[in-house]
């Protein structure tokens, strides 16, 4: 029991540390520019993994800005714009950037005059200087100095991304986050028209991802490894059972919280549908709940129905593991975090797989030796019985 308590403490600390690292890593406040540029304010934009940094002088109307778009794994263009005429795309005065096939950056100004824009180069309705862009670590950063009308306080901002085709911007997606990426911005206070709810939504997305990756994607497989391989060692009985139950129960509790967070995010984003991810998540919750409830119906080792219970428990358990790992990768595709998080998860799963493979070989060797030893003892007992007749 003491071992079970220690394992619960370790698991809880692991979850807290992971939450802290991931959530803090995604904030604009702790970002350091390679050029050592410093800005007085920043916003975590609510969609498309984007961030805006700026320094504004209202007396001159000069705004130094840096627009960051992370998670650029394939050739894509990014744009950030101010729309002096209203909200939305038409009338937006955009800054566009992308990496060309020769590795150089293309960055220019483009006034958007209609929905069928090709993002051609052109002059904006306000002055732009010091325009440049960089691409590093799957992130495009656009720098510029804007000359806005004096004493401007609030602007309508729009940001966007799309594919690059033959070194030219292609059409962006017409659903989901790509049609929601707009907000008002107060250059003085730093408040955005969607900042309060948007930052909350962004934070909820990362919390949802962390909780589910740890619970369904790591703790559940770890619990199966414990039950499958540690139980073979006679000296580990019944400690392996308590470790298994503690790991799986903790994973279930954390997973339910992550699952509920996902449902809330879905209800708050009616225009965004991730049908496969949502369906698998609901199925996982149902199967895992059945597993937890089935513990109360677990027959004793010598009961006639114990074999059937074992078949059910293992079948559902392995199904949960497969669906969990699959859904974690679907979540990565949706959330689109830095590659290091996906690589870290792949490393953890690969390590568990290698450990499981090694233990599988070892346990089979152990079982064969035990059977052979048991067979030899039975043979000797039979020989003694025959000699004694």
């Amino acid at each position: 029991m003491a071992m079970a308590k220690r394992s619960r403490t370790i698991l809880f600390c692991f979850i807290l540390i992971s939450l802290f690292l991931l959530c803090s890593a995604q904030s604009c406040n702790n970002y350091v520019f390679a050029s050592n540029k410093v800005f007085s304010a920043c916003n975590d934009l609510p969609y498309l993994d984007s961030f805006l940094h700026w320094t504004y002088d209202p007396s001159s109307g000069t705004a130094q800005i840096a627009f960051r778009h992370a998670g650029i794994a394939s050739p894509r263009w990014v744009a950030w714009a101010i729309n002096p005429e209203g909200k939305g795309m038409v009338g937006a005065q955009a800054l566009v950037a992308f990496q060309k096939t020769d590795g150089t950056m293309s960055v220019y100004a483009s006034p958007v005059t209609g929905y069928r824009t090709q993002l051609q180069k052109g002059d904006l309705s306000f002055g732009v200087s010091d325009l440049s862009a960089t691409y590093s670590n799957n992130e495009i950063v656009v720098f510029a100095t804007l000359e806005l009308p004096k004493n401007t306080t609030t602007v309508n901002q729009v940001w966007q991304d799309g594919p690059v085709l033959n070194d030219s911007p292609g059409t962006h997606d017409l659903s989901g986050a790509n049609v929601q990426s707009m907000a008002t911005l107060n250059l003085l206070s730093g408040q955005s028209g969607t900042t309060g709810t948007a930052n909350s939504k962004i934070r909820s997305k990362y919390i949802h991802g962390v909780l589910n990756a740890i619970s369904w994607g790591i703790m559940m497989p770890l619990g199966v490894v414990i039950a499958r391989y540690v139980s073979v060692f006679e000296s580990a009985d019944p400690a392996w059972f308590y470790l298994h139950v503690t790991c799986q129960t903790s994973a279930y509790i954390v997973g339910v919280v992550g699952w509920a967070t996902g449902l809330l995010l879905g209800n708050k984003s009616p225009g965004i549908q991730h049908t496969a991810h949502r369906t698998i998540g609901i199925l996982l919750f149902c199967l895992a709940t059945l597993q937890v409830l089935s513990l109360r119906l677990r027959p004793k080792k010598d009961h006639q129905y114990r074999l059937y219970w074992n078949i059910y428990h293992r079948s559902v358990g392995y199904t949960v593991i497969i669906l969990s790992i699959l859904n974690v990768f679907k979540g990565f595709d949706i959330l689109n975090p830095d590659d290091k998080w996906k690589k870290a998860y792949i490393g953890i799963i690969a390590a568990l797989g290698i450990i499981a493979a090694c233990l599988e070989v070892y346990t089979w060797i152990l079982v064969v030796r035990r059977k052979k030893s048991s067979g030899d003892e039975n043979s000797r007992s039979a020989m003694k019985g025959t000699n004694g007749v």
Side-chain angles (χ1 to χ4, degrees), residues 87-115:
K87 297 181 180 179
M89 180 174 127
V90 178
Q93 307 296 296
L95 306 176
V96 184
F98 59 87
Q99 187 179 44
K100 297 192 291 188
T101 52
D102 61 4
T104 60
M105 294 298 297
S106 176
V107 55
Y108 59 90
S110 175
V112 180
T113 57
Y115 288 107

Side-chain angles (χ1 to χ4, degrees), residues 191-227:
Q191 293 298 312
S192 172
T194 58
T195 296
T197 56
N199 285 346
S200 175
K201 186 179 291 186
I202 292 172
R203 191 171 291 106
S204 296
K205 285 182 180 179
Y206 290 125
I207 290 175
H208 168 73
V210 171
L211 291 178
N212 287 312
I214 291 175
S215 58
W216 301 106
I218 298 177
M219 293 169 64
M220 284 285 186
L222 178 61
V224 170
V225 170
I226 292 172

Side-chain angles (χ1 to χ4, degrees), residues 165-184:
L165 306 173
N166 299 321
D167 282 347
S168 297
T171 304
H172 65 76
D173 290 341
L174 302 177
S175 63
N178 290 86
V179 297
Q180 301 180 67
S181 52
M182 63 186 76
T184 58

Side-chain angles (χ1 to χ4, degrees), residues 31-37 134 136 141 143:
Y31 186 83
V32 178
F33 288 93
S35 58
N36 292 322
K37 290 187 177 182
T134 62
S136 178
V141 184
F143 298 97

Side-chain angles (χ1 to χ4, degrees), residues 212-214 216-219 221 321 324-329 332 339-352:
N212 287 312
I214 291 175
W216 301 106
I218 298 177
M219 293 169 64
I321 298 307
S324 296
I325 295 174
L326 173 63
N327 219 28
V328 168
F329 281 106
F332 276 122
D339 284 345
K340 61 183 179 181
W341 300 108
K342 189 173 184 178
K343 290 177 180 178
Y345 179 71
I346 292 174
I348 292 172
I349 292 300
L352 282 176

Side-chain angles (χ1 to χ4, degrees), residues 350-366:
L352 282 176
I354 293 171
I355 292 171
C358 294
L359 289 174
E360 184 72 25
V361 174
Y362 179 77
T363 51
W364 273 108
I365 295 173
L366 194 63

Side-chain angles (χ1 to χ4, degrees), residues 23 65 112 144 233 270 302 306 383 388:
C23 293
I65 67 101
V112 180
F233 301 95
D302 55 353
R306 179 59 180 264
M383 289 293 293

